[in-house]
Amino acid sequence: MTAAQRVNVWVRKVPSWAVYILGAMIPVWYFWLAVSGQMGVEPINALERALGLLAMQTLVVVLAVTPLRRWTGISLVSHRRALGLLAFFYVCCHLAVWLLLDVQDPGRAWADIVKRPYITIGMAGFVLLLPLAATSNDRALRKLGPVRWRRVHTLTYVICVLGAVHYVMVQKVWEIEPLVYLALVLALVATRLPRLRRRAAA
Ligand code: HEM
């Protein structure tokens, strides 16, 4: 048995519910760190940023599932849905902290969404995640059929690019970490382009 096959046996042994529960506990843990004074002098901003970064990292993992399987033989496919739904949950938490704890004013929130390009782009990412989250279940897959379902889920690539651009723009100066995420996302999207083009042509 190869090392990749051994990893796959181990991955398949992890039940989906455990991924959901462990994944859902991370924002709870962040929240506790913030309320117990362990997130610095600006806990709301630190919490908002920690959740944004968690969402970005999870989206990158989702995007990497297929290339990882192709290049290393390691398959996280059995947990792709859970990872995608967790990414959506993290973006919801990130948005909720911004709206309910940071801005705290629907009028100002709307003004930020339309006037601040980095918020507009983050919001576009959130809105595009909604159809993905709504169709991440077996019923939707049966109803749409595999071809249409896959077409809807192509939005993942757009969402990851929007998330990474949002991350680059959030920083007031050029920083290396967001640019690394953007480069990673673009590289992962580029690996999928030939297949996407073939599918579009078909
Ligand atoms: C796909 C969706 C999104 C992703 C992946 C994402 C990701 C991120 C990341 C990685 C950061 C920076 C974290 C850090 O500096 O370590 C961030 C910051 C931020 N995001 Fe998002 N975000 C998304 C959607 C949104 C939405 C919908 C909003 C609000 C409408 C939003 C508002 C903010 C704000 C206010 C900050 C912090 C800015 C500051 O500190 O001044 N994001 N986000």
Side-chain angles (χ1 to χ4, degrees), residues 45 48-49 52-53 94-95 98 119 122-123 166-167 170-171:
N45 186 259
E48 189 173 74
R49 281 178 171 260
L53 192 59
H94 177 57
L95 177 61
W98 174 73
I119 301 273
M123 205 62 200
H166 164 79
Y167 186 13
V170 161
Q171 318 298 331

Side-chain angles (χ1 to χ4, degrees), residues 85-187:
L85 285 170
L86 281 170
F88 174 66
F89 175 60
Y90 299 150
V91 174
C92 290
C93 294
H94 177 57
L95 177 61
V97 170
W98 174 73
L99 197 59
L100 305 175
L101 302 178
D102 187 353
V103 182
Q104 295 185 5
D105 171 359
R108 228 194 86 202
W110 179 248
D112 275 359
I113 291 168
V114 289
K115 281 196 199 129
R116 289 189 175 191
Y118 82 89
I119 301 273
T120 315
I121 289 175
M123 205 62 200
F126 169 71
V127 170
L128 292 182
L129 268 167
L130 293 174
L132 294 201
T135 54
S136 287
N137 57 72
D138 292 337
R139 221 177 114 224
L141 177 57
R142 273 195 305 274
K143 216 169 153 197
L144 289 172
V147 174
R148 273 199 297 165
W149 187 89
R150 235 185 273 134
R151 207 172 288 157
V152 174
H153 283 251
T154 312
L155 281 176
T156 312
Y157 306 105
V158 182
I159 293 162
C160 289
V161 173
L162 289 172
V165 171
H166 164 79
Y167 186 13
V168 170
M169 291 173 79
V170 161
Q171 318 298 331
K172 307 288 181 268
V173 290
W174 290 107
E175 276 189 27
I176 192 77
E177 203 180 317
L179 291 171
V180 169
Y181 275 91
L182 181 60
L184 194 61
V185 166
L186 292 177

